[in-house]
Amino acid sequence: MRSGLRRRVSAVTITLALAVVAAACGGGNDSSDDADRNLDAGPAGDAAWDDLVAAAQEEGSVAIYSSQGLDQLNDLAARFQDEYGITVTVVRDIDSALETKLDAEDTTGNQVADIVAVADGGWANHKGGQGWFEAPTGPAFDEPAYDAATNLSEDGHFVSSAAVLTFGWNTNLYPDGLDDYDDLLDPALAGGKIGVMEPGSPSVVDFYTNYLAGKFGDDFLGELAAQEPRLYPSSLPMAQALASGEISAAAFVQVMTDEKEAGAPVESGLSDTVWGARFETAILADAPHPNAAQLLANYMITPSGQEAIARKAAAVLPDVEGTVTTIDKVEIIDLNVITPEVVTDFQTTWQDLFT
């Protein structure tokens, strides 16, 4: 059980933090030249970082709880294991389920998770203020391309990617396709032919109340509900339903490039403004594998890590192959507007409209 005293990361991590400070204050020998750096492994010849890597490899495993895409998480895990020989346990679920699981682990003292990544920024801010997180110290966080001033919070959580959710359609069942979300109101899509996302987190509430209402007016949600769509708890089963023909169109899926390349009769489009949810990611202060957690957090924001975790999403680095856009192109959800009271009220409205 958390007692207010945070478990200290091992001495090698503390040494790394001191080394980073010393490097920032030093001069003369410039070891930051691109030729001397491997962004996936850290600065060449950095003994403190080498010690952390060795300690992480001795720990041998690390667990990440995340609502990011399962394929992306599995790719990240495979790449990380290939790079460092460390096994990654992936627990993928929606934000609310992960938050409940983490609260239970904290209450019982049976800590399993090392890193968490959720789109619920309010939860991350709240837990960060309670001392739940250990600040990341890896060299990738110091790279100017990452923009730590914007993407790394004072209480330790950081942005690792942003989901870009959009509309899609089954080309066999709806060959005319969609130009924008308002095409979902086509009478031909009524009667259970559209998939929509249940508002299980503040980010999804923002999608409906700010993004869609801002683009198409306050009546849009009621008009969408009148189409009698099918409800899904996350974007992944919705995308599977679209590919299988269970639904003809979807309001909340990732860009469907993988499914299309695999032969599924699907297509997706992007509106003139893109909606996405930033994934607030953090090393848990009571992580059972603190050094492996530091190493994985650093790896997530390297070019190789971004190719995995930000594929079909928004990257925190420029020019990452397979990504849709960069994090600076995704609007920041105003958590001062999407309060817990707003979420509760909207969920009640949602139930009245859709169920």
Side-chain angles (χ1 to χ4, degrees), residues 182-241:
D182 54 348
D183 288 340
L184 293 169
L185 304 183
D186 184 350
L189 292 174
K193 297 179 182 179
I194 303 169
V196 298
M197 177 77 165
E198 295 175 341
S201 69
S203 60
V204 181
V205 173
D206 175 85
F207 172 72
Y208 287 116
T209 60
N210 291 331
Y211 180 71
L212 289 183
K215 288 176 68 69
F216 304 110
D218 293 337
D219 295 334
F220 181 77
L221 188 61
E223 294 171 346
L224 182 61
Q227 293 281 72
E228 299 180 345
R230 293 175 183 257
L231 311 184
Y232 294 89
S234 75
S235 62
L236 296 181
M238 193 186 309
Q240 293 167 353

Side-chain angles (χ1 to χ4, degrees), residues 5-350:
L5 296 176
R6 300 168 66 189
R7 177 189 298 171
R8 297 297 179 186
V9 181
S10 68
V12 294
T13 302
I14 297 173
T15 302
L16 173 62
L18 295 175
V20 171
V21 173
C25 297
N29 183 17
D30 182 8
S31 62
S32 63
D33 292 342
D34 291 342
D36 294 331
R37 296 182 67 84
N38 178 339
L39 296 185
D40 292 346
D46 188 326
W49 185 251
D50 291 342
D51 287 346
L52 185 142
V53 173
Q57 290 172 326
E58 185 174 350
E59 290 170 352
S61 64
V62 62
I64 181 169
Y65 288 13
S66 176
S67 56
Q68 290 162 298
L70 182 58
D71 288 343
Q72 287 86 339
L73 287 164
N74 287 338
D75 188 16
L76 176 74
R79 289 171 182 245
F80 185 73
Q81 184 168 3
D82 286 345
E83 180 74 22
Y84 295 107
I86 298 171
T87 301
V88 181
T89 299
V90 172
V91 177
R92 198 275 169 192
D93 212 327
I94 61 174
D95 286 353
S96 57
L98 292 174
E99 291 162 11
T100 299
K101 187 174 179 64
L102 288 166
D103 281 336
E105 291 186 7
D106 179 61
T107 299
T108 62
N110 184 24
Q111 184 79 34
V112 176
D114 295 296
I115 293 181
V116 59
V118 294
D120 185 353
W123 181 89
N125 287 337
H126 176 65
K127 295 302 187 182
Q130 293 184 332
W132 270 48
F133 306 142
E134 188 72 39
T137 57
F141 290 92
D142 296 325
E143 290 298 319
Y146 177 65
D147 189 12
T150 300
N151 295 319
L152 174 60
S153 73
E154 293 182 355
D155 54 21
H157 58 88
F158 62 94
V159 179
S160 61
S161 68
V164 173
L165 283 304
T166 187
F167 53 87
W169 62 95
N170 185 297
T171 55
N172 286 345
L173 300 177
Y174 194 68
D176 289 344
L178 306 171
D179 291 327
D180 213 330
Y181 292 95
D182 54 348
D183 288 340
L184 293 169
L185 304 183
D186 184 350
L189 292 174
K193 297 179 182 179
I194 303 169
V196 298
M197 177 77 165
E198 295 175 341
S201 69
S203 60
V204 181
V205 173
D206 175 85
F207 172 72
Y208 287 116
T209 60
N210 291 331
Y211 180 71
L212 289 183
K215 288 176 68 69
F216 304 110
D218 293 337
D219 295 334
F220 181 77
L221 188 61
E223 294 171 346
L224 182 61
Q227 293 281 72
E228 299 180 345
R230 293 175 183 257
L231 311 184
Y232 294 89
S234 75
S235 62
L236 296 181
M238 193 186 309
Q240 293 167 353
L242 188 65
S244 68
E246 179 179 305
I247 53 177
S248 301
F252 202 85
V253 291
Q254 287 186 306
V255 175
M256 303 289 287
T257 52
D258 288 353
E259 294 83 356
K260 184 177 178 180
E261 289 177 1
V266 292
E267 189 59 86
S268 53
L270 294 173
S271 187
D272 55 351
T273 57
V274 176
W275 185 89
R278 285 167 165 76
F279 284 105
E280 296 292 343
T281 310
I283 301 166
L284 293 164
D286 292 335
H289 309 97
N291 295 290
Q294 288 281 354
L295 189 59
L296 179 57
N298 182 82
Y299 185 76
M300 290 178 78
I301 62 167
T302 64
S304 179
Q306 285 293 288
E307 286 181 6
I309 203 61
R311 187 172 58 85
K312 301 197 301 181
V316 296
L317 300 177
D319 303 320
V320 177
E321 183 178 356
T323 61
V324 175
T325 186
T326 50
I327 197 74
D328 57 301
K329 304 299 194 302
V330 179
E331 293 184 12
I332 297 176
I333 298 173
D334 188 350
L335 297 175
N336 293 320
V337 175
I338 310 298
T339 63
E341 293 76 17
V342 168
V343 172
T344 299
D345 290 346
F346 180 76
Q347 288 173 337
T348 299
T349 299
W350 172 275

